[in-house]
Amino acid sequence: MKFSRVTTSLHCFPFQCSPRIASDRLRKALMMSTSSKEPRRFAPLKHGVGVAAAGVPTLKGIVFDVDGTLCMPQNYMFSQMRRALSIDKGTDILDHIYTLPPDAQAIAFQRIRDIESAACDSQAPQPGLLSLMEYLDSRSIPKGICTRNFNVPVNHLLGKFLQGQVFAPIVTRDFRPPKPDPAGILHIAKSWGLIKEDGESGDGREMIMVGDSIDDMTAGYRAGAATILLVNEVNTHLATHEHTDLCISRLDELIEILENGFIGQIARGGESSDTEA
């Protein structure tokens, strides 16, 4: 199977994720964020799955967010949801709903489900979506989903744009606690047999989390996974965030990165990830 080669320099310097943030100020911020610790690395997949370079771990799986990652962002939904719930922009939607009495929770969840369901009509795939998924299949890399959406938009995306593609497990809003808690990613790790030395807790250190929000980056970071930010016009400020290892502007850019070996740009090491799964 042939995959088109995508030439990009985005994986070399996070501040190049968007021309608007390619500034001296962000260059300095990136330099300040880098310590003597080594950045995250995975062995090149072109050498074969499970073939590790000296001292470099092999990639065991990738977890994807949905809205803004597998499909194009539909950020207008969030303002609609907040209006429906009468909350301000600074209030987390799910956190607010979980504080409500059971009857009010049911009503609130239905309101945001209705908004998400209506948005399915305009759901569109990210550029490079199918090419990346076919590549991961060709390299036998497991794929999972961890999203704060409920199942309807997820199933719509899979059924319309990714027929025949397997994602397992799929962690949706029904799983608690949601991102930015790492529990969903650690649950996926455990289901893939990636277990910490205690024999019970999921271990995300041989995984990558791909997303477009601070919740995605923080959940991945706290799970011990490497993180990749899919950059759009509203999240460029996350390019140099301490929880972001790498950034791309379209999904199929990840093919070349994984073929030649993942190298993060934010030096990390020594951080303790959460282990609840």
Side-chain angles (χ1 to χ4, degrees):
M1 183 177 296
K2 295 182 63 177
F3 300 94
S4 59
R5 180 179 178 86
V6 180
T7 303
T8 177
S9 60
L10 288 176
H11 60 280
C12 297
F13 300 99
F15 55 76
Q16 290 181 347
C17 288
S18 167
R20 283 179 288 186
I21 64 169
S23 64
D24 290 338
R25 181 178 179 183
L26 284 178
R27 290 172 189 265
K28 293 177 181 178
L30 178 60
M31 293 175 64
M32 291 174 64
S33 70
T34 304
S35 69
S36 60
K37 298 173 183 176
E38 288 295 315
R40 297 298 302 275
R41 294 173 181 264
F42 290 110
L45 293 183
K46 64 184 177 183
H47 298 322
V49 178
V51 178
V56 180
T58 58
L59 178 65
K60 299 296 177 58
I62 301 182
V63 179
F64 294 91
D65 173 51
V66 175
D67 183 54
T69 302
L70 295 180
C71 65
M72 296 297 289
Q74 294 178 294
N75 295 325
Y76 64 88
M77 287 192 297
F78 302 127
S79 59
Q80 291 179 352
M81 291 175 185
R82 289 189 168 90
R83 284 196 299 270
L85 300 176
S86 300
I87 58 176
D88 59 34
K89 187 175 181 180
T91 301
D92 184 271
I93 293 169
L94 295 185
D95 286 348
H96 167 74
I97 293 177
Y98 290 137
T99 66
L100 300 175
D103 289 347
Q105 270 193 36
I107 294 171
F109 271 128
Q110 189 57 53
R111 287 175 178 171
I112 63 174
R113 287 191 197 103
D114 290 343
I115 292 170
E116 287 177 289
S117 296
C120 286
D121 293 337
S122 58
Q123 193 180 62
Q126 283 280 358
L129 172 65
L130 190 56
S131 294
L132 175 59
M133 301 309 146
E134 291 177 343
Y135 167 76
L136 294 176
D137 287 348
S138 76
R139 292 291 185 253
S140 300
I141 300 297
K143 309 185 298 291
I145 286 175
C146 186
T147 177
R148 286 164 59 105
N149 293 112
F150 83 122
N151 63 308
V152 168
V154 177
N155 292 337
H156 181 270
L157 176 79
L158 298 180
K160 186 172 183 179
F161 304 114
L162 289 169
Q163 292 183 5
Q165 290 290 319
V166 176
F167 292 80
I170 296 176
V171 173
T172 64
R173 184 160 58 227
D174 291 336
F175 185 98
R176 293 186 62 183
K179 297 177 297 186
D181 194 284
I185 298 173
L186 293 173
H187 168 76
I188 294 173
K190 189 172 182 179
S191 75
W192 287 346
L194 304 177
I195 311 294
K196 282 187 175 291
E197 290 77 6
D198 62 11
E200 297 182 2
S201 305
D203 187 348
R205 289 176 293 179
E206 296 177 300
M207 300 165 58
I208 291 174
M209 174 68 201
V210 182
D212 69 310
S213 72
I214 186 58
D215 286 346
D216 299 324
M217 299 299 99
T218 297
Y221 179 88
R222 290 177 62 191
T227 58
I228 295 179
L229 178 73
L230 181 58
V231 176
N232 58 48
E233 61 184 10
V234 300
N235 69 5
T236 53
H237 62 285
L238 297 176
T240 54
H241 193 279
E242 63 179 339
H243 294 172
T244 302
D245 285 306
L246 208 63
C247 50
I248 56 178
S249 62
R250 50 181 288 149
L251 288 174
D252 51 4
E253 289 173 6
L254 190 51
I255 296 173
E256 185 176 1
I257 293 171
L258 297 178
E259 274 291 276
N260 295 315
F262 176 99
I263 304 176
Q265 294 304 311
I266 303 299
R268 282 166 47 173
E271 75 271 12
S272 58
S273 62
D274 294 10
T275 58
E276 298 295 331

